[in-house]
Structures are given as structure tokens and as C-alpha cells.
């Protein structure tokens, strides 16, 4: 595994760590062997775990990734707006602009809560309502605290088609509720599964930006990423990041206008919603006890085996999995004993 590939993983799996060590030995960089160059582990956590280090490793994970839904739009207020205006041109209402300014102040409170040196980098959907939301959010931040902002087409709204006929859309959305929100594709538009694919592509680019230091990750300050997007797109982002199943996605409630959710880096290098938010909030968002337990693990995860400790939602796939191979053997012996008694 190359260092660039490995750096995309906040926590290395045992398999990844083993592969890295094998590559390390092949390349003669293992500092435990006499005559080989010593390794300066620096501040790269993957390097520290695997004893593999690249001289140009300057990877700095953002302290927080904050997802924000746009403020109230004219389409939220009156669905008939979509019959005359393309979705991407739907503007904010006056209330929506006010909500965005309040969200900006709220996000500022979050990122500045620890004091010290911090900065923000913004990604924004190209839709008029998200761009306007970002402009209002930006009023809360001193210019020297903003690293940059980038329009990102892959975090745009789910495509519902072109001009939308109000009565037809009501009927189509009712059908979606029966069919399932994730796989239902709007006529001439997208399904949530389609949105998942482009969000997955965006995340690959995001990791590349982090790996290459393109987000201005100064070692002396905390970097915060703010993604101004849409309700479904933000839920799909969380689904992809935390590896939620389709059934778990279907449980989730939509973001309110200008509601934001904070993924914060825990002490073990995992992002969690429970560092900033409360368990009660996660329950209100529709997260199951299993999903919340996984967030609790991520909030305090240490550097031991990912395979042993990280929840993979295994109970979602198997009913009554055996605790161990020995327990299965004991059950077989017990069953054989009952058969012998009958004989």
C-alpha cells in the first residue's frame, strides 16, 4: 500500500497495517533492522501505527466537518415556484436569509469554542439558494479566518426533473414513500442512490485535497470544513461516511432549513456526531440505538484493532450470530448426546 493510499484512511485496519509493514520491509525502511535508516514518525498517525513514513507527509485532518442545509427557499414556501422556475434558480426567502445569518453565528460559536488559532474552508452547492446561504453565513466570519470557498457540483440537490408540475410531483412523492426513498428515481431525475454515487466521488476528491494539503491545513491551527448543501445530499453524505445501510438511511429525518450537523474528530482519529451533539439529538434525527452506539465508539475510539472494536452493524445482516466456534461445537455435541440417548 502506498503512503498516499494509506493516508486516506483515518484508522488503519490490521490488514492495511500488515500490508504496510510488508511493503516497509521490502523497501528497507524498518528501523528495527540493523543498518537501515531510522524513521521519523512525525505527526502522521498512520506513520506512527505502521512505522512507515513518507518524507513529504504533511497530512492534517480537519478538526470538524460541518454539514449545513440551505435556508428557507421560495420552493419550501410554495411548491408552485418549481412550475415556473428551474430548481437550481429557486431563491431564498427573507426568512431563509435570516436563518442563514443565524447559522453563521452558530457555526462561528462552534469552531471558535476552543479558542486559539482556527480557520474555515467552505464547499457549496451551485444552486442559487445554497450560494445565497453561504453569503449570509460568511458575514459571521472575519476574512482572515476563511481559507477559501469552492463551488462543488457533486453536492447539489437531488435532481427531480426539469420544470415540475405541482400536482404530478405530489403524486410522484407519494409513490416514493411506498417504493422507498433511497432507490426511487424521479422521472427525468435522480434517485437517492444516484446522489450517493456522486457524493462518493466527491469524498474521494475531498480526501485527495486533504492528502495534498490543498485546504491550507496549517499545523499551527485547526481547520474546519463547512459544506453548504441540501437535506437529502447531506444525509447521503453521512450515510456514505459512516457506512450506514439503506435501511438505516430510510430511518433518517431531513435537516431543517439551516440546521447544521457537526462531525468532530475524536481523540482516536475518528469523526463522530456525538462529540458535539447529544444522544437525544441523534434520536430525534431518527438514528437507531445501534447507529448511536457506533457514534459513541467513534467519539472515544482508541488505536487498537479496528476489526475488533469498530461496529460493522453485523446484527443487521445475521440473526443470532454465534459468539465463538467453540459454542457451535458444544451445541453439536449436546445434540449428538440427545440422539444417542434416544438410541
Amino acid at each position: 500500500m502506498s503512503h498516499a493510499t494509506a493516508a486516506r484512511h483515518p484508522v488503519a485496519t490490521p490488514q492495511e497495517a500488515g500490508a504496510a509493514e510488508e511493503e516497509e520491509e521490502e523497501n528497507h525502511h524498518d528501523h528495527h533492522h540493523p543498518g537501515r535508516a531510522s524513521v521519523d514518525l512525525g505527526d502522521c498517525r498512520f506513520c506512527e501505527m505502521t512505522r512507515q513514513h513518507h518524507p513529504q507527509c504533511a497530512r492534517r485532518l480537519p478538526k470538524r466537518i460541518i454539514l449545513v442545509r440551505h435556508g428557507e427557499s421560495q420552493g419550501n414556501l410554495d411548491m408552485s415556484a418549481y412550475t415556473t422556475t428551474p430548481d437550481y434558480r429557486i431563491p431564498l426567502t427573507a426568512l431563509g436569509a435570516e436563518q442563514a445569518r443565524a447559522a453563521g453565528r452558530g457555526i462561528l460559536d462552534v469552531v471558535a469554542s476552543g479558542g486559539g488559532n482556527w480557520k474555515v474552508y467552505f464547499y457549496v452547492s451551485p444552486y442559487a439558494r445554497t450560494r445565497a446561504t453561504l453569503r449570509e453565513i460568511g458575514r459571521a466570519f472575519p476574512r482572515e479566518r476563511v481559507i477559501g470557498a469552492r463551488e462543488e457540483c457533486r453536492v447539489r440537490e437531488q435532481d427531480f426533473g426539469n420544470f415540475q408540475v405541482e400536482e404530478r410531483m405530489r403524486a410522484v412523492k407519494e409513490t416514493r414513500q411506498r417504493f422507498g426513498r433511497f432507490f426511487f428515481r424521479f422521472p427525468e431525475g435522480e434517485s437517492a442512490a444516484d446522489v450517493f454515487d456522486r457524493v462518493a466521488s466527491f469524498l474521494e476528491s475531498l480526501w485527495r485535497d486533504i492528502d495534498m494539503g490543498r485546504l491550507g491545513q496549517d499545523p499551527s491551527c485547526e481547520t474546519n470544513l463547512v459544506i453548504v448543501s441540501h437535506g437529502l445530499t447531506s444525509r447521503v453524505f453521512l450515510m456514505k461516511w459512516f457506512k450506514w445501510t439503506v435501511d438505516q438511511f430510510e430511518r433518517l429525518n431531513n435537516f431543517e432549513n439551516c440546521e447544521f450537523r457537526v462531525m468532530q474528530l475524536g481523540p482516536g482519529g475518528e469523526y463522530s456526531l456525538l462529540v458535539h451533539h447529544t444522544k437525544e439529538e441523534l434520536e430525534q434525527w431518527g438514528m437507531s440505538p445501534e447507529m448511536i452506539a457506533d457514534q459513541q465508539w467513534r467519539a472515544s475510539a482508541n488505536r487498537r484493532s479496528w476489526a475488533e472494536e469498530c461496529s460493522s452493524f453485523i446484527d443487521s445482516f445475521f440473526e443470532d450470530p454465534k459468539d465463538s466456534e467453540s459454542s457451535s461445537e458444544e451445541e453439536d455435541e449436546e445434540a449428538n448426546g440427545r440422539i444417542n440417548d434416544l438410541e
Side-chain angles (χ1 to χ4, degrees), residues 23-293:
E23 180 178 344
E24 178 187 26
E25 290 178 2
E26 291 173 3
N27 293 331
H28 305 287
H29 289 304
D30 189 340
H31 69 286
H32 289 293
H33 288 73
R36 295 182 183 176
S38 62
V39 179
D40 177 13
L41 299 177
D43 295 319
C44 175
R45 192 166 57 76
F46 184 85
C47 296
E48 182 180 339
M49 291 176 65
T50 63
R51 302 191 305 278
Q52 180 188 26
H53 183 71
H54 190 285
Q56 297 178 345
C57 176
R59 187 168 188 252
R60 299 282 174 178
L61 292 176
K63 178 67 177 287
R64 302 173 189 87
I65 301 175
I66 302 175
L67 305 173
V68 193
R69 186 190 176 194
H70 59 81
E72 181 188 73
S73 71
Q74 193 61 42
N76 296 140
L77 198 61
D78 181 6
M79 277 189 63
S80 66
Y82 296 106
T83 65
T84 57
T85 307
D87 193 359
Y88 71 94
R89 291 182 178 172
I90 296 288
L92 287 184
T93 64
L95 174 59
E98 183 181 328
Q99 290 171 333
R101 288 191 290 273
R105 294 189 294 270
I107 294 169
L108 175 64
D109 288 343
V110 171
V111 300
S113 60
N117 194 10
W118 57 267
K119 290 189 178 181
V120 293
Y121 191 101
F122 293 96
Y123 287 94
V124 62
S125 157
Y127 280 38
R129 56 187 179 272
T130 42
R131 289 173 61 93
T133 298
L134 175 57
R135 282 194 294 272
E136 299 302 326
I137 286 174
R139 296 178 189 275
F141 292 88
R143 180 64 187 86
E144 65 272 12
R145 295 288 190 174
V146 179
I147 300 169
R150 184 185 307 173
E151 182 176 287
E152 175 50 68
C153 196
R154 288 170 292 183
V155 298
R156 68 187 184 274
E157 175 66 289
Q158 179 181 11
D159 191 346
F160 298 108
N162 297 314
F163 291 104
Q164 302 172 26
V165 179
E166 185 175 357
E167 289 306 314
R168 183 186 179 212
M169 286 302 294
R170 290 186 190 277
V172 168
K173 288 184 176 180
E174 288 175 4
T175 304
R176 178 180 62 170
Q177 288 299 110
R178 298 196 303 273
F179 188 92
R181 290 182 298 170
F182 189 76
F183 290 111
F184 181 85
R185 178 176 284 114
F186 283 86
E188 301 176 350
E190 290 182 305
S191 66
D194 296 322
V195 178
F196 182 97
D197 291 341
R198 56 177 163 84
V199 166
S201 171
F202 165 64
L203 276 172
E204 286 295 318
S205 298
L206 179 60
W207 279 120
R208 200 154 48 242
D209 286 345
I210 292 170
D211 291 343
M212 300 299 291
R214 294 170 180 162
L215 305 182
Q217 302 104 295
D218 184 340
S220 67
C221 76
E222 294 178 353
T223 302
N224 300 271
L225 301 186
V226 180
I227 302 173
V228 184
S229 183
H230 307 265
L232 181 132
T233 308
S234 297
R235 282 178 283 147
V236 166
F237 183 100
L238 293 170
M239 175 191 183
K240 169 61 179 172
W241 189 284
F242 294 120
K243 299 177 176 59
W244 292 337
T245 66
V246 171
D247 286 344
Q248 287 166 336
F249 169 83
E250 295 278 6
R251 294 179 53 96
L252 301 176
N253 300 318
N254 199 9
F255 288 39
E256 298 293 336
N257 289 121
C258 273
E259 181 181 4
F260 61 86
R261 299 184 184 174
V262 180
M263 299 164 51
Q264 186 161 322
L265 200 61
E270 280 294 310
Y271 288 93
S272 172
L273 295 164
L274 269 177
V275 177
H276 175 76
H277 299 286
T278 66
K279 180 181 177 182
E280 289 70 29
E281 286 179 291
L282 272 59
E283 289 172 344
Q284 291 170 6
W285 300 342
M287 293 176 62
S288 68
E290 186 178 28
M291 296 164 76
I292 294 172

